Amino acid sequence: CAGAEGGLGREPRRAPYRSPAAWVLRQLDDRFSLLRPDSVVLDLGCFPGGWSEVAIERSEASSSSSRVIGVDATRMDGLEYHTFLQGDVAHEETLRQILKTLGDRRADLVLSDLAPALVGLKSEDHLNSMQCCLQAARIMERTLKLGGLFVLKFQSGPEMTHLRAYLDSRFDTVRSIRPGAIRSTREMLFICKGFLGRQSIASEAKSKNVGKHEGVDQWHGELQWLRGQGLLDDE
């Protein structure tokens, strides 16, 4: 999985962003107030830098204590008020680099614009996109502070119901949207607010979030699927 290389924007470029995809994040921030001063933003799949540029601008990184950390397997040119880490999000060493860079802070917002190399087959592109989402979620679980936000872009398809069930167990609220700046009809985003932390698997089926979405019996099936994807263990 790597950063999406633009191509998402419909709006004219009114600012010199590196990617038209920056307009997607601007729309999301206008609607959900994601980016704030004195915050830590982790941008997964940051190449070529459009989302990071918006994060720097909207979090006022030049005049506050905000930090914007970008991660991608592809090296990109540096940005002011930005820390870039080159690495594959699927590798444990990349997670170690992220945790070391965060130090004693945790992210207020984790962004994931991770995207697989598309092959043009709807089902395969969707499954590969879900794999990117799982990799982003593994990092989110270790880096996001309680009460934090998670924004996740993905290719829609049948497996998104499993992903939604998992996110509902981790956040107070989860919304699925397709902003006007996204060109593809299959690309969507989950906007997740109020990170609850990671509970033990035994207690998850009894949580209030499970009841509101899938029901206990269905949730056991979701947990089995997540274990199979390597996202959950038997802690």
Side-chain angles (χ1 to χ4, degrees):
C1 298
E5 299 188 26
L8 298 177
R10 286 179 174 171
E11 295 194 38
R13 290 180 57 165
R14 296 191 293 268
Y17 293 123
R18 294 184 175 186
S19 166
W23 293 102
V24 175
L25 185 56
R26 283 178 62 100
Q27 284 187 0
L28 295 176
D29 188 44
D30 288 342
R31 183 172 176 182
F32 297 104
S33 300
L34 304 172
L35 296 160
R36 301 174 183 177
D38 304 312
S39 62
V40 177
V41 180
L42 179 60
D43 182 8
L44 304 176
C46 66
F47 181 86
W51 278 25
S52 283
E53 286 182 302
V54 174
I56 292 166
E57 172 190 320
R58 294 289 183 99
S59 70
E60 302 178 15
S62 64
S63 58
S64 75
S65 65
S66 289
R67 296 190 66 190
V68 179
I69 301 167
V71 182
D72 205 287
T74 303
R75 177 164 292 280
M76 72 176 204
D77 293 336
L79 291 166
E80 280 193 289
Y81 311 107
H82 184 267
T83 301
F84 174 72
L85 302 176
Q86 186 172 11
D88 189 327
V89 295
H91 296 165
E92 284 298 316
E93 177 57 30
T94 302
L95 175 58
R96 285 192 288 269
Q97 288 184 55
I98 294 170
L99 293 172
K100 182 178 179 180
T101 302
L102 286 169
D104 60 357
R105 299 181 74 178
R106 285 295 177 264
D108 297 272
L109 168 64
V110 175
L111 303 170
S112 175
D113 193 18
L114 293 170
L118 300 179
V119 298
L121 300 175
K122 184 176 179 180
S123 60
E124 188 168 343
D125 287 342
H126 166 62
L127 291 175
N128 290 338
S129 175
M130 289 296 99
Q131 186 62 39
C132 291
C133 290
L134 293 175
Q135 291 167 0
R138 289 176 67 94
I139 292 178
M140 177 277 296
E141 293 249 12
R142 297 286 302 278
T143 59
L144 187 62
K145 77 174 189 179
L146 294 178
L149 301 98
F150 185 33
V151 175
L152 186 64
K153 184 163 71 66
F154 62 95
Q155 296 271 333
S156 61
E159 296 297 330
M160 63 183 282
T161 59
H162 297 290
L163 180 62
R164 173 64 185 261
Y166 156 72
L167 293 171
D168 274 339
S169 78
R170 294 297 194 263
F171 291 88
D172 279 329
T173 61
V174 179
R175 296 185 64 178
S176 58
I177 66 167
R178 181 180 287 114
I182 285 186
R183 184 176 296 156
S184 170
T185 58
R186 295 205 300 263
E187 283 187 338
M188 296 182 65
L189 296 106
F190 280 128
I191 310 298
C192 312
K193 291 188 172 184
F195 182 48
L196 302 171
R198 179 170 178 166
Q199 307 173 65
S200 67
I201 288 176
S203 67
E204 282 177 356
K206 301 176 183 178
S207 75
K208 62 182 178 65
N209 287 326
V210 172
K212 76 177 185 181
H213 187 64
E214 293 285 16
V216 172
D217 291 340
Q218 179 65 25
W219 180 239
H220 284 302
E222 308 295 357
L223 290 176
Q224 184 176 2
W225 180 84
L226 289 165
R227 286 193 193 96
Q229 303 304 309
L231 185 61
L232 296 179
D233 52 35
D234 294 309
E235 60 179 13

